[in-house]
Amino acid sequence: MDTETTRSHRLLMTIEFYQANAEAFFNDTVGVDMQSLYQPFIAALPAKACILDAGCGSGRDSKAFLDMGFNVEAFDASSEMVQRASAHTGLSVSLCSFTDFDKPAYFDAIWACASLLHVDENELPAAISALSNSLKYGGLFYMSFKYGNCQRVKDGRTFTDMNEDRFSSLISQFPELTIHQLWLTKDKRPDRNERWLNIIVMKSH
């Protein structure tokens, strides 16, 4: 049986993975070219929009958005990643989990790239709800998941994979969030052949 204790253990395992492998993960991801993923997201944003980078990892995307002239706040659940992201971006990156983040209706957009995928499927609605609460009406919310239809543990990390039907079922729990764009991409890292489900949802009244 999948108990709350089991879910908490999986979460701790995932965080411990990033604590132990922070330097390698930073080096592996910080230089990946994400421009083709940024474009659909930033195209509809106003100048100097305030973006939340939720689960920012290396800080790669936060720095890119800063360089584009946007205002950025960021957080991550791993203190080792927070330290590296802060150094890389010059931001004061917060140590925080998705469900603990609390800044109601503040951001024009939320960027959760390859981060919500580590949230247990039973906890995912609460995480999305907490982030949605921090988004202004009319705001955009990008998220990405490895393509699939199950939850799994690999190398000490939990992955909640998503396909179109699974995500549609998930997002139907949030009447204020509607799918703005959904598309598949290949992994941007040259040594990977995985597929990713990319989603942008919009918050409305």
Side-chain angles (χ1 to χ4, degrees):
M1 182 178 295
D2 189 11
T3 65
E4 185 175 346
T5 300
T6 302
R7 295 195 293 270
S8 296
H9 177 66
R10 286 199 294 259
L11 173 61
L12 286 173
M13 282 176 58
T14 300
I15 293 173
E16 285 170 0
F17 173 91
Y18 288 102
Q19 292 291 87
N21 297 278
E23 189 67 17
F25 182 79
F26 179 90
N27 292 332
D28 187 44
T29 59
V30 73
V32 177
D33 183 359
M34 301 288 285
Q35 287 299 323
S36 63
L37 289 180
Y38 298 149
Q39 290 308 314
F41 178 68
I42 66 173
L45 297 184
K48 299 184 179 180
C50 191
I51 299 173
L52 172 65
D53 190 355
C56 67
S58 65
R60 171 199 63 210
D61 302 331
S62 290
K63 188 173 189 309
F65 294 138
L66 286 169
D67 290 345
M68 295 176 201
F70 294 110
N71 296 299
V72 181
E73 293 190 24
F75 72 81
D76 199 271
S78 161
S79 61
E80 291 290 335
M81 295 312 303
V82 164
Q83 179 183 344
R84 286 161 176 79
S86 297
H88 183 61
T89 62
L91 295 171
S92 180
V93 176
S94 300
L95 178 63
C96 187
S97 70
F98 294 110
T99 52
D100 289 336
F101 190 81
D102 184 19
K103 207 163 188 176
Y106 181 81
F107 296 96
D108 299 297
I110 297 172
W111 178 264
C113 180
S115 55
L116 284 166
L117 86 174
H118 288 313
V119 177
D120 189 283
E121 58 188 340
N122 294 297
E123 309 294 339
L124 200 48
I128 290 175
S129 179
L131 292 176
S132 177
N133 287 341
S134 72
L135 186 63
K136 295 177 183 176
Y137 287 112
L140 297 180
F141 183 172
Y142 169 88
M143 57 192 99
S144 61
F145 299 86
K146 294 191 178 188
Y147 194 68
N149 63 353
C150 66
Q151 178 171 284
R152 58 197 170 87
V153 176
K154 181 180 179 182
D155 300 329
R157 290 180 292 174
T158 295
F159 290 92
T160 298
D161 297 340
M162 285 285 164
N163 59 20
E164 296 88 343
D165 290 341
R166 198 165 194 235
F167 183 79
S168 293
S169 177
L170 171 65
I171 210 66
S172 69
Q173 301 175 54
F174 303 94
E176 77 278 14
L177 298 178
T178 55
I179 296 175
H180 177 69
Q181 193 170 348
L182 184 151
W183 71 106
L184 288 173
T185 55
K186 293 181 179 179
D187 200 298
K188 297 296 182 183
R189 291 166 292 186
D191 59 335
R192 304 291 183 92
N193 59 5
E194 296 166 307
R195 290 195 297 167
W196 289 78
L197 183 69
N198 304 271
I199 311 110
I200 297 175
V201 298
M202 180 177 287
K203 183 177 180 180
S204 57
H205 287 280

